[in-house]
Amino acid sequence: MALGIYGIIAMVFIITALIIQALLYRTKNEAANGIFIVNMVFGVVFAYITFSSLPSNFIGQKILTIVWAIIAVAGLLLKLKDKKFMMISKIMLSVAIIGSLVQLFM
């Protein structure tokens, strides 16, 4: 029973990540800032879920998870600093979300 629920949650995470990533690269209007923030929040949430699911003696993997969260926050800060780094910050968010998801399901 528990593995079935885990499978459903995994599919929801993957579908949500795909949708917000597609919206991140498609929007050019006022909603772009909101979608960007939603991506950053999901990146941090996925990193937190991955961090909390690891045993306490997996220090190297926990540090990697913290790096994914830092990349997501750095992408937001880079976007807020200057608009010319918009594409780089989008790529940083994508790397953070994909990295957290891959680490969570491996």
Side-chain angles (χ1 to χ4, degrees):
M1 181 70 169
L3 289 178
I5 294 171
Y6 179 73
I8 292 170
I9 291 172
M11 291 307 296
V12 168
F13 281 166
I14 291 170
I15 290 169
T16 303
L18 289 173
I19 290 171
I20 62 174
Q21 287 299 302
L23 289 174
L24 179 68
Y25 289 102
R26 287 188 175 229
T27 57
K28 301 271 186 205
N29 55 10
E30 301 90 30
N33 287 333
I35 292 171
F36 199 88
I37 292 172
V38 166
N39 268 290
M40 192 272 307
V41 168
F42 270 96
V44 172
V45 166
F46 289 150
Y48 173 74
I49 291 170
T50 305
F51 183 85
S52 64
S53 70
L54 292 170
S56 62
N57 60 345
F58 284 27
I59 302 299
Q61 290 182 359
K62 283 191 169 197
I63 291 172
L64 181 62
T65 303
I66 293 170
V67 168
W68 297 131
I70 290 172
I71 289 172
V73 172
L76 177 69
L77 294 176
L78 190 64
K79 177 194 177 282
L80 293 176
K81 183 178 179 184
D82 198 356
K83 297 292 183 189
K84 68 180 179 180
F85 296 121
M86 183 67 137
M87 186 53 75
I88 295 171
S89 60
K90 286 181 180 181
I91 292 170
M92 288 173 72
L93 278 176
S94 296
V95 167
I97 289 174
I98 292 169
S100 292
L101 283 174
V102 166
Q103 188 176 3
L104 179 63
F105 296 120
M106 286 265 181

